[in-house]
Amino acid sequence: MPSQHDRERGSPLAQKLLIFSDIHLLGDGGRIIGLDPAARFREGLSHALAHHADADHLVLLGDLTHHGRSVQYRELQELLSPASMPVTHLLGNHDNRANFIRHFPQAPVTSAGHVQAMLDLGDSCLITLDTTDPDVEPKHAGRLCRARLDWLDQALTWAGGKPVALAMHHPPLVTGLTGMDRIALQNPDALYDRLAAYTAPVHLLCGHVHRTISGTARGVGFTIFKSPCHQHPMSLGVEGSSQSVDEPGAYGIVLASAAGFVVYSEDFAIAASAATRHDLGSK
Ligand SMILES: [Fe+2]
């Protein structure tokens, strides 16, 4: 039965996901390029909950913390307390799997120890895939081992031909931001081989790059989300992955339905004048 919120969205049976990626909590009041990641996440989550109180899920795309320390996961627990909807976590290259699991024992963990999940969204599915590998070269890149690829096979079978939003920290594609491309998923062919066998639409939801990017790669749609805190500069063809700029923080909104996925990126850390609405009569 469509809910009041479904009818208001004009998309029967759509589910709304809120997406936050690359939160990078420090746990000690510290700053990254002058920005306080805890304050930025608090502001972003507050904005998201105020404007999207009807959201069905909150999905965190990894780099929850800056160093994977216990104090940083405790800070995440505290900051998430205003969110009443289910929260699904992914890990990134800045996280620590053991520390995360200790502080979030309710998070789904596979028998091989990976933090990933299958969520039934009604007419579509969300699958989250753990791309973090502390032993991969180069450092900070991602990789899918055999256990995770086998699990993905099972998850796609479970999805049963519904549209799939596949969330993963490391993008499996070339963005043109050379420094970040070097630390992307290192074995994308193995992933795309599996997706090619799936008959329904798949849309990738990725983090890691700290920049809003969307498109298609090998016929599969993707969206990469900004961080609520620091962003990667617009540096096509430039080596290095450590450069960051102070641009507005953002979060994502995904409307998931039988038709597929509509994806928004919403800036929240902007001047009040930029957020003021003006009625021009037409666009
Ligand atoms: Fe990050």
Side-chain angles (χ1 to χ4, degrees), residues 149-183:
L149 292 166
D150 288 349
W151 183 91
L152 177 60
D153 284 335
Q154 295 170 20
L156 292 172
T157 299
W158 166 84
K162 294 179 183 176
V164 168
L166 179 59
M168 50 199 294
H169 183 71
H170 294 84
L173 52 100
V174 175
T175 64
L177 299 169
T178 306
M180 295 306 298
D181 288 340
R182 296 213 187 283
I183 55 170

Side-chain angles (χ1 to χ4, degrees), residues 204-217:
L204 306 181
L205 306 174
C206 302
H208 193 44
V209 183
H210 295 229
R211 188 136 210 112
T212 308
I213 308 170
S214 63
T216 57

Side-chain angles (χ1 to χ4, degrees), residues 22 24 62-63 93-94 169 208-210 230:
D22 295 277
H24 285 266
D63 280 2
N93 45 294
H94 282 263
H169 183 71
H208 193 44
V209 183
H210 295 229
H230 51 300

Side-chain angles (χ1 to χ4, degrees), residues 1 21 30 40 47 66 73 77 84 90 100 115 138 141 151 173 182-183 196 203 210 236 248-249 266 277-278 281:
M1 177 73 77
S21 189
R40 278 297 192 95
H47 187 286
H66 202 49
Y73 290 112
Q77 288 173 318
S84 58
L90 270 174
F100 168 78
V115 179
W151 183 91
L173 52 100
R182 296 213 187 283
I183 55 170
H203 193 91
H210 295 229
L236 291 168
E266 177 76 341
R277 299 184 184 190
H278 302 272

Side-chain angles (χ1 to χ4, degrees), residues 199-251:
T199 53
V202 175
H203 193 91
L204 306 181
L205 306 174
C206 302
H208 193 44
V209 183
H210 295 229
R211 188 136 210 112
T212 308
I213 308 170
S214 63
T216 57
R218 308 195 204 191
V220 178
F222 69 87
T223 304
I224 302 171
F225 294 92
K226 284 172 83 173
S227 164
C229 190
H230 51 300
Q231 317 302 344
H232 191 74
M234 188 60 207
S235 54
L236 291 168
V238 177
E239 295 285 353
S241 59
S242 61
Q243 293 294 308
S244 294
V245 291
D246 176 2
E247 294 180 3
Y251 61 89

Side-chain angles (χ1 to χ4, degrees), residues 98-185:
N99 283 343
F100 168 78
I101 293 171
R102 191 174 309 123
H103 289 279
F104 291 86
Q106 75 280 16
V109 180
T110 67
S111 57
H114 300 116
V115 179
Q116 45 197 23
M118 310 175 201
L119 277 81
D120 187 350
L121 304 179
D123 285 346
S124 65
C125 297
L126 172 69
I127 297 173
T128 64
L129 195 54
D130 185 340
T131 55
T132 299
D133 184 340
D135 299 321
V136 74
E137 289 291 338
K139 193 173 183 334
H140 293 302
R143 191 174 70 90
L144 292 170
C145 61
R146 185 55 190 258
R148 283 174 274 197
L149 292 166
D150 288 349
W151 183 91
L152 177 60
D153 284 335
Q154 295 170 20
L156 292 172
T157 299
W158 166 84
K162 294 179 183 176
V164 168
L166 179 59
M168 50 199 294
H169 183 71
H170 294 84
L173 52 100
V174 175
T175 64
L177 299 169
T178 306
M180 295 306 298
D181 288 340
R182 296 213 187 283
I183 55 170
L185 191 79

